[in-house]
Amino acid sequence: MPGTVQSLERAAAILQVVAGSGGTLGVTDIAAAVGLPKTTAHSLLRTLLGVRFVEQDREGRYALGQGLLRLGSGHLDVNELRSRASNWADALASRSGHAVRLASLVDAQVVVVHHVFRPDDSAQVLDVGTLLPAGRTALGAVLAAFAPHRSVRGLPDTGRAEVTAVRARGWAADEGGHQPGSAAVAVPVRGSTGLVVAALGIAGPAETVLDGRHQPRPRLVAMVQESAQGIARELGWHG
Amino acid sequence: MPGTVQSLERAAAILQVVAGSGGTLGVTDIAAAVGLPKTTAHSLLRTLLGVRFVEQDREGRYALGQGLLRLGSGHLDVNELRSRASNWADALASRSGHAVRLASLVDAQVVVVHHVFRPDDSAQVLDVGTLLPAGRTALGAVLAAFAPHRSVRGLPDTGRAEVTAVRARGWAADEGGHQPGSAAVAVPVRGSTGLVVAALGIAGPAETVLDGRHQPRPRLVAMVQESAQGIARELGWHG
DNA sequence: GGTCCTGTCCGACGATGTCGTACGCAACGG
DNA sequence: CCGTTGCGTACGACATCGTCGGACAGGACC
């Protein structure tokens, strides 16, 4: 096919086969699967080994390598994120008197990965694992605005202008997104490369989160931003 | 460098830059970042577009594409998995009278992605989002045994023999893995390609899960296997 | 309207990717 | 124990393909 780099197309086909076979095939089988001579496939696999897009066990079988898996995962270990965030989230809940949630994009969807209850006796529901609409919650709006990948599911087209506004302000707020009478404010959390890897937010009664003009109270925004910056420093961002 | 395919190494460098920049760079910036002439970088990017390892917006900026992200995610959408599994998990909890958990590998770690409580009045704790040790729980043992990727964190070297046994039997059991006096049994769940994408398990008092010889009751194993097969069919596996 | 810069196309050319041959090694069967 | 088979890997010839300079269209900016 003119105009394309044949060896890249062949390498992509090899990676599809390796991914689909789950580390069970050697060079002979991979060559057969992609329709290439064995030595051609071996030559391509040797380079894929070198750039760590594949790895090879002692029996000669190939699996996807960390070099490729890290590309796909955006360099973020959700467990590390939660580990780094939990102390800051606990402290933020205490200082602000509000519930704290941390959300990330998982498969283009907004997922709560950490949740600290409001420090009082009220009945609360643990949100970890739940999906949030990208357009109607502060956490979702932040991730939609700052996400490194363009495709965020569930974002209405009319939300694009909101995205620009959120990027400019550095925070998003919602009113009633979680439940009637409540409000929330969220800010981005950056990872080691400076890319936004999560959103950190507080939520509680609308009258404590918002001021008289239905804007989030600046003191609360500053608290959330300070906590987000602390988490980012622990993740290795020094911007 | 002799012995490697130069265009593959260059493409890998381009993908690193695209991944790290989060969709903000055009061909001129990418070429500068990898030290190549603009037309060379463009030629490689055109092929990466063709195999969907990158995508390009209307302003000409490149981001990682679904073709590469799908390789990295093992073709599994956690949300789809939970959606397909939830009815089977509910039914299994009712039929077996035990708590049901579904776990997947996320970043080489065993994570509970769905949890149905035992259908009684007892106090229970929601596990979704928690990490499990790979070697000490039935769910973890199943994922360690059948996982497509080799690196599963937390698996002691001595567990390799257990891996072989689990693969042969098609299930794993634990006693006391969740809490003292309890036991669990888990089986693999296959995705559309036949690869194991999750583990499905039940847990409860040891005397109801295990028989007199500390083996899981075959009737329970069969129930879990039937549910796992039902989930697999919904995910597109017809093996 | 002119300038600047980007992304893209085209085609010459020589460097590199392709792949046949060969080999070492391990597994297997008689 | 020995011969056979098949795997993964190395080597090198050669022609195909990847590289990249020049050119151009188009948009942004002044």
Side-chain angles (χ1 to χ4, degrees), chain A residues 32-57:
Chain A
V34 297
L36 288 173
K38 189 172 59 176
T39 43
T40 305
H42 188 259
S43 169
L44 295 165
L45 279 162
R46 187 170 53 228
T47 303
L48 289 171
L49 267 178
V51 298
R52 300 181 183 276
F53 277 19
V54 298
E55 62 192 23
Q56 187 181 26
D57 68 11

Side-chain angles (χ1 to χ4, degrees), chain B residues 18-72:
Chain B
V18 170
S21 68
T24 60
L25 300 182
V27 63
T28 305
D29 293 326
I30 292 169
V34 297
L36 288 174
K38 189 173 60 177
T39 41
T40 305
H42 187 261
S43 170
L44 296 165
L45 279 162
R46 187 171 51 231
T47 303
L48 290 172
L49 266 178
V51 298
R52 298 179 185 279
F53 277 18
V54 298
E55 62 192 24
Q56 188 182 26
D57 68 11
R58 281 176 298 174
E59 284 84 24
R61 289 170 298 188
Y62 293 90
L64 291 184
Q66 289 302 314
L68 183 131
L69 295 172
R70 263 201 303 280
L71 292 181

Side-chain angles (χ1 to χ4, degrees), chain A residues 6-7 27-28 39 42:
Chain A
Q6 181 187 43
S7 46
V27 63
T28 305
T39 43
H42 188 259

Side-chain angles (χ1 to χ4, degrees), chain A residues 85-190:
Chain A
S86 62
N87 287 340
W88 289 96
D90 288 341
L92 178 60
S94 294
R95 286 176 62 207
S96 69
H98 289 84
V100 171
R101 290 178 182 81
L102 186 73
S104 269
L105 280 178
V106 178
D107 295 309
Q109 291 185 317
V110 180
V111 179
V112 176
V113 298
H114 192 61
H115 183 189
V116 183
F117 287 165
R118 190 166 58 243
D120 64 18
D121 291 333
S122 62
Q124 292 168 84
V125 177
L126 186 66
D127 274 343
V128 170
T130 61
L131 300 173
L132 298 176
R136 280 187 0 254
T137 59
L139 290 167
V142 163
L143 288 172
F146 288 95
H149 303 304
R150 295 186 188 286
S151 53
V152 177
R153 290 190 209 174
L155 188 67
D157 286 338
T158 52
R160 306 288 176 189
E162 173 69 6
V163 160
T164 306
V166 172
R167 276 175 174 271
R169 287 195 306 262
W171 54 260
D174 71 55
E175 191 167 355
H178 281 292
Q179 63 191 28
S182 74
V185 63
V187 307
V189 178
R190 294 181 190 277

Side-chain angles (χ1 to χ4, degrees), chain A residues 10 68 105 148:
Chain A
R10 289 175 157 183
L68 183 132
L105 280 178

